[in-house]
């Protein structure tokens, strides 16, 4: 069931990233729908599957933008792994916690991406990254609500 719901959401997120993301940007901060979907989906499977999901997210994002896939693939793989690993923390997986996890995953992906491909201006890069992290954290709440209706709540079992 998670594969079907995930495939549909990833397809929709790709369409939104391609057609809507740049139009609703605030300054340099724009939502990353595919990243949000992949990180929220990473709450459900084991860490290894979440890392593969993050890798897929990175490859799709890089190919959509037309950039070097390596930086996107590495940053998203590690972010997906960390989100899945964060289930072992003794917090109930509720909406604010999911938003915080996606926010922190966006910051982590931005940090890893920065070391892989140095930005021209570090200050504006971090302002845009933090703005995107806020955007992604807010978008994680309805995404998680939708997945929770379809798949139920993720369990906190060790993975």
């Amino acid at each position: 069931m998670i594969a079907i719901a995930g495939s549909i959401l990833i397809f929709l997120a790709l369409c939104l990233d391609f057609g809507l993301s740049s139009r609703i940007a605030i300054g340099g901060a724009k939502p990353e729908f595919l990243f949000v979907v992949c990180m929220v989906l990473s709450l459900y499977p084991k860490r290894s599957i979440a890392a593969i999901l993050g890798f897929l997210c990175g490859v799709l994002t890089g190919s959509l933008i037309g950039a070097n896939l390596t930086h996107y693939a590495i940053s998203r793989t590690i972010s997906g792994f960390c989100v899945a690993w964060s289930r072992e923390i003794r917090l109930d997986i509720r909406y604010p916690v999911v938003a915080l996890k996606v926010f922190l995953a966006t910051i982590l992906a931005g940090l890893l991406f920065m070391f892989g491909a140095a930005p021209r201006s570090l200050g504006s890069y971090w302002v845009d990254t933090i703005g995107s992290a806020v955007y992604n954290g807010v978008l994680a709440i309805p995404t998680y609500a939708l997945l929770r209706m379809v798949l139920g709540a993720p369990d906190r079992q060790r993975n």
Side-chain angles (χ1 to χ4, degrees):
M1 186 64 169
I2 191 170
I4 295 169
S7 299
I8 292 169
L9 280 176
I10 287 172
F11 176 75
L12 291 174
L14 273 171
C15 293
L16 289 173
D17 269 345
F18 184 72
L20 184 66
S21 184
S22 60
R23 293 184 179 161
I24 61 172
I26 299 174
K30 63 181 185 173
E32 301 173 49
F33 294 103
L34 183 60
F35 183 80
V36 170
V37 166
C38 287
M39 292 305 114
V40 173
L41 278 171
S42 293
L43 291 170
Y44 286 89
K46 297 191 293 186
R47 289 186 297 241
S48 58
I49 302 298
I52 292 169
L53 186 62
F55 177 80
L56 174 69
C57 171
V59 169
L60 290 173
T61 301
S63 62
L64 184 68
I65 295 172
N68 188 346
L69 299 179
T70 307
H71 309 304
Y72 284 104
I74 290 172
S75 64
R76 274 41 178 188
T77 301
I78 294 172
S79 296
F81 178 85
C82 289
V83 167
W85 198 4
S86 72
R87 284 192 323 208
E88 294 185 16
I89 298 173
R90 300 286 181 221
L91 290 173
D92 286 335
I93 302 176
R94 301 205 186 270
Y95 297 105
V97 173
V98 172
L100 179 65
K101 287 182 181 189
V102 173
F103 173 85
L104 293 174
T106 307
I107 297 293
L108 175 65
L111 182 69
L112 293 170
F113 190 83
M114 179 187 73
F115 286 121
R120 290 184 181 155
S121 172
L122 198 57
S124 64
Y125 174 78
W126 276 109
V127 167
D128 294 344
T129 300
I130 291 171
S132 294
V134 170
Y135 230 142
N136 291 346
V138 170
L139 287 174
I141 294 171
T143 305
Y144 177 65
L146 179 65
L147 276 174
R148 191 174 171 128
M149 284 189 326
V150 174
L151 302 174
D155 57 357
R156 290 189 323 200
Q157 68 186 7
R158 297 199 183 273
N159 45 36

